[in-house]
C-alpha cells in the first residue's frame, strides 16, 4: 500500500510539473502573468474538470499548497525590513488603512446584498481589499514611471496594506475557527495578533538576524538554507499554535531575516524553493476550483470586481487628497491601487476554505476574480494614468482661462 501511494504521488507530481511547464511557456509567449498559467493548469488536472481528473492524491496537493503559502509569504516578508517599514511614512499608513477598511466594508456590504453568508461576506471582503503589488510595480516599470511621486506613494501604501491584510486575515481566521463572533473573541484575536507582531519586532529582531548572520559566516549555503527554512516554518508553527494564520507567521519570519546582513543572499537562496511551492499553491487553487459553479458565481464575481475598483479608487483618491497630495498624484495612486487580486487574495480564499466556514463557490469565485483583475490591471493603470494626466491638463487650462478672464476684467 505504501509503495502504491508513493507511486501515485510521484505520478501526480510529474503530471503537475509537466503541465505547469507547458502552461508557463504559453503564458511567457503571450506575455501574461505566470499566476494565470498555474491556475489554468490546476483547472485542467483538477477533479472538477471533465471527463476525469488527471491527479489522484488531492490531499497531498493541499499539503504542498500549505507549504507554498508559508514559503511565498516568507520571501515576500524579506522585502520589508523594519527600517523600510518605518520609512514608508504616516501618510501612506493612513491611506492604506482607509483603503483596506473602506474596501472591506464595501465588499462586506456587497456580499450581504448578493445573499452571501456572513463568513462568505467577510472572506470575500478581505480578498477584494488586496492589491497585487507585483503586478502594479511591473506595469509602472514598463511605463518608466517607477520613480514618479505617485509610484513611491503606491509602493508605500501597498507595503502597509499587505501588513494590514495579513493581520486582518489572522484575526478573521482565528475568529472563524472558534465558530463564534463576539467582541470578546475579536478582542482576544486582535490581542494575539498584536502580541505576536510585538514579540516579533522586539524579541525576534534581537535574535533571528544575529542567528542568520552567525550561520552565514560559516560560508556554507546548504546550512543557511536549512536555517532559513527553520525560521520560516518555526514562526509559522508558533503562529498556528496561537490560532493565527501561518501566512502571518511566515511573513514576519521574512521581516526578521530582512534585518540580517545575509538578507540578499537569503533571498537568492530561498526564491527557487519559493517558486516551486508557490507554483504548487496556485495549481492547487485551480485544481480545487469547481468550474461547474461558474454560472452561479460569474455575475456576483463581476459585481464584486466593480465594487473593488470603485471602493479602492475612491478611498485612495480621497484620503490622498486629504493628506495634501495634488490631484494628479492622488488620481494616479487611486488607479494604481484600484485592482484587487494577486497572491494574498488567493491565500485569503484558501484560508476560508481551510477553516470550513465558507461556501464551495467562494474559492473558485475569488480565483476567477483574480484572473479577471490580473488581465485588467495593466490596462486600468495605463489608461488611468493617461486619464489623470488629462484631468490635470484640463484643470490647468481652466485655471489659465479664469486668470485671463480676471485679468481682462
Amino acid at each position: 500500500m505504501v509503495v502504491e501511494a508513493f507511486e501515485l504521488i510521484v505520478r501526480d507530481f510529474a503530471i503537475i510539473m509537466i503541465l505547469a511547464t507547458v502552461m508557463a511557456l504559453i503564458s511567457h509567449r503571450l506575455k501574461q502573468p505566470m499566476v494565470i498559467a498555474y491556475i489554468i493548469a490546476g483547472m485542467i488536472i483538477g477533479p472538477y474538470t471533465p471527463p476525469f481528473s488527471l491527479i489522484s492524491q488531492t490531499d497531498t496537493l493541499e499539503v504542498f499548497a500549505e507549504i507554498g503559502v508559508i514559503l511565498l509569504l516568507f520571501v515576500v516578508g524579506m522585502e520589508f525590513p523594519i527600517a523600510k517599514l518605518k520609512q514608508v511614512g504616516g501618510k501612506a499608513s493612513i491611506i492604506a488603512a482607509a483603503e483596506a477598511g473602506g474596501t472591506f466594508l464595501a465588499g462586506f456590504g456587497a456580499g450581504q446584498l448578493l445573499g452571501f453568508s456572513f463568513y462568505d461576506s467577510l472572506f470575500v471582503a478581505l480578498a477584494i481589499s488586496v492589491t497585487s503589488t507585483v503586478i502594479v510595480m511591473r506595469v509602472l516599470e514598463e511605463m518608466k514611471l517607477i520613480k514618479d511621486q505617485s509610484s513611491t506613494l503606491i509602493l508605500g501604501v501597498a507595503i502597509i496594506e499587505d501588513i494590514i491584510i495579513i493581520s486582518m486575515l489572522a484575526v478573521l481566521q482565528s475568529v472563524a475557527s472558534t465558530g463564534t463572533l463576539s467582541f470578546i473573541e475579536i478582542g482576544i484575536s486582535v490581542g494575539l495578533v498584536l502580541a505576536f507582531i510585538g514579540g516579533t519586532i522586539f524579541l525576534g529582531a534581537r535574535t533571528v538576524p544575529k542567528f542568520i548572520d552567525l550561520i552565514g559566516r560559516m560560508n556554507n549555503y546548504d546550512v543557511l538554507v536549512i536555517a532559513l527554512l527553520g525560521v520560516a516554518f518555526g514562526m509559522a508553527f508558533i503562529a498556528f499554535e496561537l490560532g493565527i494564520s501561518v501566512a502571518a507567521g511566515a511573513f514576519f519570519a521574512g521581516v526578521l531575516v530582512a534585518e540580517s546582513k545575509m538578507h540578499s543572499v537569503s533571498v537568492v537562496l530561498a526564491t527557487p524553493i519559493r517558486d516551486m511551492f508557490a507554483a504548487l499553491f496556485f495549481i492547487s487553487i485551480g485544481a480545487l476550483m469547481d468550474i461547474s459553479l461558474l454560472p452561479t458565481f460569474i455575475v456576483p464575481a463581476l459585481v464584486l470586481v466593480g465594487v473593488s475598483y470603485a471602493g479602492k479608487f475612491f478611498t485612495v483618491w480621497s484620503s490622498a487628497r486629504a493628506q495634501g497630495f495634488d490631484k494628479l498624484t492622488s488620481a494616479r495612486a487611486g488607479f494604481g491601487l484600484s485592482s484587487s487580486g494577486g497572491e494574498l487574495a488567493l491565500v485569503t480564499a484558501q484560508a476560508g476554505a481551510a477553516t470550513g466556514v465558507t461556501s464551495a463557490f467562494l474559492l473558485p469565485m475569488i480565483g476567477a476574480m483574480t484572473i479577471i483583475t490580473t488581465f485588467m490591471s495593466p490596462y486600468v493603470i495605463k489608461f488611468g494614468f493617461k486619464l489623470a494626466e488629462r484631468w490635470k491638463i484640463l484643470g490647468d487650462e481652466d485655471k489659465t482661462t479664469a486668470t485671463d478672464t480676471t485679468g481682462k476684467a
Side-chain angles (χ1 to χ4, degrees):
M1 292 294 292
V2 176
V3 175
E4 291 179 0
F6 178 74
E7 180 183 355
L8 292 174
I9 291 173
V10 173
R11 190 201 69 176
D12 288 348
F13 201 81
I15 292 173
I16 290 169
M17 286 305 174
I18 291 171
L19 185 58
T21 301
V22 173
M23 294 304 301
L25 289 172
I26 295 173
S27 177
H28 178 72
R29 180 71 64 177
L30 297 176
K31 297 182 179 179
Q32 297 300 323
M34 291 295 177
V35 173
I36 295 177
Y38 294 144
I39 293 175
I40 295 175
M43 293 171 65
I44 293 173
I45 66 176
Y48 299 107
T49 304
F52 53 83
S53 174
L54 293 176
I55 58 174
S56 56
Q57 302 292 316
T58 55
D59 292 342
T60 303
L61 188 59
E62 291 177 1
V63 172
F64 282 136
E66 291 289 347
I67 296 174
V69 170
I70 292 172
L71 294 174
L72 181 67
L73 271 297
F74 176 58
V75 177
V76 170
M78 280 197 271
E79 298 298 329
F80 301 141
I82 296 173
K84 185 176 180 180
L85 296 179
K86 291 179 180 178
Q87 291 174 357
V88 169
K91 291 184 177 181
S93 300
I94 293 172
I95 295 171
E99 179 197 0
T103 308
F104 181 84
L105 292 175
F108 178 78
Q112 291 288 281
L113 291 175
L114 289 169
F116 293 176
S117 70
F118 183 74
Y119 280 109
D120 284 344
S121 299
L122 285 176
F123 277 95
V124 79
L126 189 59
I128 70 171
S129 301
V130 176
T131 300
S132 181
T133 310
V134 175
I135 294 175
V136 173
M137 289 297 108
R138 187 174 300 171
V139 174
L140 292 176
E141 286 178 355
E142 291 175 358
M143 296 174 65
K144 302 185 185 302
L145 289 171
I146 197 66
K147 295 183 179 180
D148 187 78
Q149 183 186 20
S150 59
S151 299
T152 304
L153 179 61
I154 289 171
L155 179 59
V157 172
I159 291 172
I160 299 299
E161 183 195 72
D162 284 348
I163 297 174
I164 293 173
I165 296 300
I166 290 170
S167 301
M168 290 175 67
L169 175 61
V171 173
L172 183 55
Q173 198 168 9
S174 176
V175 171
S177 63
T178 63
T180 59
L181 188 65
S182 65
F183 288 110
I184 296 177
E185 291 292 338
I186 293 175
I188 293 173
S189 299
V190 172
L192 283 173
V193 172
L194 293 177
F196 178 78
I197 296 175
T200 298
I201 294 175
F202 294 105
L203 297 178
R206 289 167 171 77
T207 55
V208 173
K210 293 180 180 178
F211 170 70
I212 296 298
D213 289 336
L214 177 64
I215 299 296
R217 285 195 288 271
M218 296 173 59
N219 292 322
N220 189 324
Y221 289 160
D222 293 341
V223 178
L224 182 57
V225 168
I226 299 300
L228 291 171
L229 294 177
V231 172
F233 284 94
M235 291 287 290
F237 176 73
I238 293 172
F240 179 78
E241 288 297 303
L242 292 174
I244 303 172
S245 170
V246 294
F251 177 83
F252 285 103
V255 171
L256 293 179
V257 173
E259 292 295 301
S260 69
K261 297 177 182 178
M262 297 299 297
H263 161 248
S264 299
V265 176
S266 299
V267 172
V268 173
L269 294 176
T271 297
I273 305 173
R274 183 279 313 266
D275 290 342
M276 183 185 75
F277 281 99
L280 287 171
F281 167 71
F282 294 123
I283 291 168
S284 71
I285 293 295
L288 297 173
M289 287 174 59
D290 189 349
I291 59 175
S292 66
L293 297 174
L294 184 63
T296 305
F297 66 71
I298 188 60
V299 174
L302 293 174
V303 171
L304 288 166
V305 167
V307 170
S308 173
Y309 275 107
K312 281 176 168 290
F313 178 83
F314 176 77
T315 53
V316 172
W317 184 84
S318 57
S319 55
R321 290 291 292 154
Q323 293 298 306
F325 291 98
D326 58 65
K327 291 182 179 180
L328 178 62
T329 301
S330 300
R332 283 183 169 181
F335 283 115
L337 291 162
S338 62
S339 63
S340 61
E343 297 83 354
L344 279 181
L346 295 173
V347 169
T348 300
Q350 194 267 346
T355 57
V357 297
T358 56
S359 303
F361 73 88
L362 197 71
L363 180 60
M365 185 183 74
I366 293 176
M369 290 169 60
T370 298
I371 293 174
I372 293 170
T373 54
T374 300
F375 273 123
M376 290 177 59
S377 292
Y379 303 103
V380 171
I381 294 172
K382 291 177 182 179
F383 175 77
F385 270 46
K386 291 180 180 178
L387 186 61
E389 184 67 30
R390 182 60 181 167
W391 285 346
K392 179 180 181 296
I393 293 172
L394 290 175
D396 291 342
E397 288 178 351
D398 290 341
K399 289 180 181 178
T400 302
T401 302
T403 302
D404 292 342
T405 303
T406 303
K408 291 177 181 179

